[in-house]
């Protein structure tokens, strides 16, 4: 580009009179080098596209035809023709003797911004587990707490926070978790973080820094555990479960010195670890100087069994306790906590500091207010009532539409495991049918460790039955019933088709 002077792209908001003919006309170069016969048309469509896409903003002045022709190495007639044609189409306008401008008549097409959230709207029925009912988020109470907090917080509280979290939140969480979950919680060792996900990553980096290379995960388990640890440079090995929890023999044989567990309500099977198994795991940790990460992701929701306290309460020096508001309030808040053993606290806090300098302080203050003022307990009670009803709706709908189905893991949490009789399978076929009916499902086999990362154990489908991890908490009871009915119809159509 020569004659147009400076050579930067037209700004998106360039205003008439402010913009000059100094646009990045390189965007027309490919058209200018099109074969001679189609060059005029190519030039016109490149200009048109540049206006439509917003790359040439309304008000941008185009170079004089002679200058542009020289810059592009085409005949002036082609440029004049292109200007005339686009003026006729209202993309451009020309002032008498004052040059040619991009008109404001054609609105640039809205740019498509992709939504890569795991639950982008789509499926007609979504039974995948992991999300609470976001409609139960206590908007008014949260907004009121927000107002209170903003009125109360001194300006200094808006500075960089303690990377462990606001003291008031750590105190509130320590007391909440001690009371509700039996956790031994010293506020000095509470680290507020962005969910269990960040707690996992923090621990992963610290373990890696100490020389660990491998972490044990439950198999089946949450695929997130493996991928989060992998992001810190650790490999994971899936360790099998039995009906009391993580099997100790394979854990010992694996040689790992750290393992992640979900003892209150194993994800996904729903087992509550037995007292013996808890004791055996802690013995293993003491004997090997091992670390157990306890992911208490939905420990607050139980329906017809006595509360099972946190493993951490039995041995806070060998357990890193983690939890979040993702099930009780909303995952989008990205607020969680970690309670570190004394021997790891400094390293974990140092990691948290270098990772993000701490969580947003206003959100923390709101949560502190919410917990300390009792609104958090009220929210848990409200959710507990709603989810029990939905759990019942799910088990009833399965009994009606998929007779013979065995359900397990139903006394707590936000999902159940449904083992459908063989006649509803095979699994691939059922999943295809569900997808065709726009029903999103997660089979248990999705939660199995894969290939070389696997100690032993099956994926739960080898007996020919189909096992599904069915989330129900985010669906109203009527939606649960309707969804299961739709699934049954889809499966029935498939079987009829096969017959
Ligand atoms: C096993 C398990 N742990 C933890 C979480 C929550 O992670 P976070 O607290 O980062 O939202 C989930 C979410 O679905 C989960 O399934």
């Amino acid at each position: 580009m020569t004659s147009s002077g400076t050579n930067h792209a037209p700004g998106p908001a360039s205003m008439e009179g402010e913009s000059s003919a100094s646009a990045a006309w390189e965007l027309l170069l490919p058209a200018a080098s099109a074969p001679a016969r189609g060059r005029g048309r190519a030039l016109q469509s490149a200009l048109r596209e540049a206006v439509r896409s917003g790359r040439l903003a309304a008000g941008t002045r185009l170079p004089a035809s002679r200058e542009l022709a020289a810059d592009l190495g085409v005949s002036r007639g082609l440029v004049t023709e292109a200007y005339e044609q686009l003026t006729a189409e209202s993309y451009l306008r020309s002032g008498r003797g004052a040059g040619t401008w991009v008109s404001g008549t054609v609105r640039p097409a809205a740019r498509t911004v992709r939504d890569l959230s795991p639950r982008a709207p789509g499926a007609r029925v979504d039974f995948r587990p992991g999300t609470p009912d976001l409609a139960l988020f206590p908007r008014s109470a949260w907004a009121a707490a927000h107002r209170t907090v903003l009125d109360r917080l001194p300006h200094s509280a808006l500075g960089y926070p303690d990377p462990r979290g606001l003291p008031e939140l750590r105190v509130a969480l320590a007391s909440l978790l001690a009371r509700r979950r039996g956790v031994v919680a010293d506020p000095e060792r509470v680290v507020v973080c962005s969910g269990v996900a960040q707690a996992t990553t923090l621990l992963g980096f610290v373990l890696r820094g100490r020389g660990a290379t491998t972490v044990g995960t439950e198999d089946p388990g949450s695929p997130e555990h493996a991928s989060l640890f992998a992001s810190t440079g650790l490999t994971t090995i899936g360790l099998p479960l039995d009906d009391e929890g993580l099997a100790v023999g394979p854990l010992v044989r694996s040689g790992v010195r750290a393992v992640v567990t979900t003892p209150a309500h194993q994800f996904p099977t729903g087992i509550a670890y037995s007292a013996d198994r808890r004791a055996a795991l802690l013995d293993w940790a003491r004997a090997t100087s091992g670390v157990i990460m306890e992911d208490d992701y939905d420990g607050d929701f139980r329906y017809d069994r006595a509360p099972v306290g946190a493993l951490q309460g039995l041995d806070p020096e060998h357990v890193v306790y983690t939890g979040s508001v993702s099930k009780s309030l909303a995952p989008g808040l990205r607020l969680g906590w970690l309670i570190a053993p004394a021997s790891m606290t400094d390293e974990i806090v140092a990691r948290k500091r270098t990772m993000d300098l701490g969580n947003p302080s206003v959100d923390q203050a709101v949560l502190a207010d919410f917990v300390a003022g009792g609104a958090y307990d009220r929210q848990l009670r409200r959710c507990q009532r709603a989810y029990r009803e939905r759990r019942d709706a799910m088990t009833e709908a399965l009994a009606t539409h998929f007779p013979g189905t065995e359900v397990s893991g139903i006394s707590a949490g936000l999902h159940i495991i449904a083992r459908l009789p063989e006649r509803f399978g095979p699994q691939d076929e059922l999943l295809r049918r569900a997808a065709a009916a726009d029903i999103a499902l997660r089979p248990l086999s999705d939660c199995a460790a894969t290939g070389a990362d696997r100690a032993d154990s099956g994926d739960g489908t080898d007996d020919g039955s189909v096992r599904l991890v069915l989330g129900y908490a985010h669906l109203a009871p009527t939606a649960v019933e309707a969804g299961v009915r739709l699934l049954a119809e889809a499966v029935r159509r498939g079987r009829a088709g096969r017959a």
Side-chain angles (χ1 to χ4, degrees):
M1 298 289 116
T2 50
S3 51
S4 315
T6 52
N7 200 13
H8 45 77
S14 48
M15 305 282 290
E16 182 159 355
E18 283 175 22
S19 58
S20 69
S22 59
W25 304 110
E26 283 96 341
L27 56 91
L28 301 177
L29 279 173
S33 54
R37 278 188 64 194
R39 196 172 296 154
R41 260 200 323 278
L43 190 60
Q44 290 173 23
S45 59
L47 255 181
R48 207 178 280 115
E49 182 47 36
V51 176
R52 263 202 215 120
S53 66
R55 287 168 77 194
L56 282 184
T60 304
R61 183 177 181 179
L62 277 80
S65 55
R66 188 193 308 278
E67 284 177 9
L68 186 58
D71 278 353
L72 296 178
V74 300
S75 75
R76 187 180 171 192
L78 278 192
V79 176
T80 319
E81 208 179 307
Y83 282 6
E84 284 171 5
Q85 180 60 34
L86 267 81
T87 304
E89 293 174 16
S90 302
Y91 285 87
L92 305 179
R93 75 191 154 71
S94 30
R96 247 165 260 110
T100 305
W101 307 78
V102 176
S103 80
T105 321
V106 177
R107 296 244 158 259
R111 210 162 272 163
T112 320
V113 180
R114 292 180 305 153
D115 180 355
L116 297 181
S117 62
R119 272 178 199 274
R124 189 168 165 206
V125 184
D126 192 347
F127 280 131
R128 289 171 301 167
T131 309
D133 186 349
L134 302 175
L136 292 182
F137 182 75
R139 284 175 187 255
S140 317
W142 191 261
H146 217 273
R147 186 72 260 160
T148 311
V149 156
L150 285 177
D151 288 344
R152 170 173 57 77
L153 279 188
H155 297 322
S156 60
L158 300 175
Y160 288 107
D162 181 327
R164 291 173 301 175
L166 296 189
E168 66 208 77
L169 179 56
R170 289 184 284 117
V171 168
L173 287 174
S175 130
L176 173 87
L177 297 169
R179 175 166 56 79
R180 290 197 74 97
R181 307 292 305 125
V183 165
V184 174
D186 174 354
E188 292 295 317
R189 292 206 250 126
V190 174
V191 180
V192 176
C193 53
S194 302
V196 172
Q198 191 183 41
T200 309
T201 315
L202 287 168
L203 177 64
F205 278 123
V206 168
L207 292 171
R208 188 81 193 92
R210 289 179 167 202
T213 53
T214 310
V215 172
T217 55
E218 295 170 321
D219 181 16
S222 165
E224 292 296 349
H225 288 147
S227 61
L228 291 164
F229 280 124
S231 76
T232 68
L234 292 164
T235 51
T236 52
I237 176 160
L239 299 168
L241 306 164
D242 57 29
D243 17 333
E244 292 193 60
L246 191 82
V248 178
L251 168 65
V252 171
R253 286 194 294 279
S254 73
V256 297
R257 302 275 295 282
V259 66
V260 55
T261 60
T262 47
H265 184 240
Q266 199 276 330
F267 185 87
T269 63
I271 300 166
Y273 280 31
S274 70
D276 284 352
R277 188 56 51 84
R278 288 158 171 260
L281 279 176
L282 292 172
D283 286 345
W284 164 83
R286 288 179 204 122
T288 60
S289 301
V291 179
I292 302 171
M293 172 177 148
E294 176 172 23
D295 176 356
D296 202 18
Y297 68 107
D298 68 0
D300 272 308
F301 299 110
R302 60 178 183 281
Y303 310 113
D304 12 59
R305 68 158 151 82
V308 185
L311 187 63
Q312 189 265 10
L314 303 175
D315 190 342
E317 282 316 307
H318 288 95
V319 179
V320 176
Y321 177 84
T322 65
S324 75
V325 301
S326 293
K327 303 289 189 274
S328 51
L329 288 168
L333 292 178
R334 306 308 306 132
L335 269 173
W337 45 83
L338 170 159
I339 300 174
S343 60
M344 299 185 96
T345 305
D346 290 348
E347 287 159 274
I348 288 176
V349 174
R351 259 298 159 182
K352 174 66 182 165
R353 181 182 287 116
T354 53
M355 209 179 263
D356 58 15
L357 303 181
N359 275 63
S361 27
V362 176
D363 295 351
Q364 292 190 57
V366 175
L367 182 60
D369 186 271
F370 222 67
V371 172
Y376 192 76
D377 285 292
R378 283 195 291 283
Q379 168 72 0
L380 289 176
R381 284 197 294 276
R382 182 171 172 228
C383 292
Q384 173 116 346
R385 276 196 302 277
Y387 297 161
R388 179 201 297 264
E389 197 187 338
R390 293 160 195 213
R391 188 273 317 255
D392 292 345
M394 177 62 90
T395 51
E396 279 160 31
L398 287 168
T400 306
H401 300 293
F402 289 92
T405 292
E406 282 172 32
V407 290
S408 55
I410 64 170
S411 55
L414 313 184
H415 68 269
I416 62 167
I417 299 286
R419 180 171 158 191
L420 311 187
E422 226 174 294
R423 65 181 186 283
F424 295 109
Q427 175 166 300
D428 288 353
E429 174 68 14
L430 181 133
L431 295 178
R432 251 197 312 279
R433 286 278 146 203
D438 217 3
I439 300 171
L441 292 178
R442 172 170 270 194
L444 181 63
S445 53
D446 273 8
C447 301
T450 49
D453 301 338
R454 199 152 188 217
D456 40 74
S457 89
D459 67 5
T461 56
D462 28 30
D463 60 358
S465 63
V466 182
R467 293 188 206 197
L468 300 174
V469 189
L470 295 173
Y472 53 77
H474 57 294
L475 299 167
T478 48
V480 169
E481 209 290 323
V484 174
R485 181 165 33 76
L486 281 175
L487 180 61
E489 282 163 14
V491 172
R492 211 173 302 124
R493 274 198 301 279
R495 285 154 76 204
R498 275 207 310 280

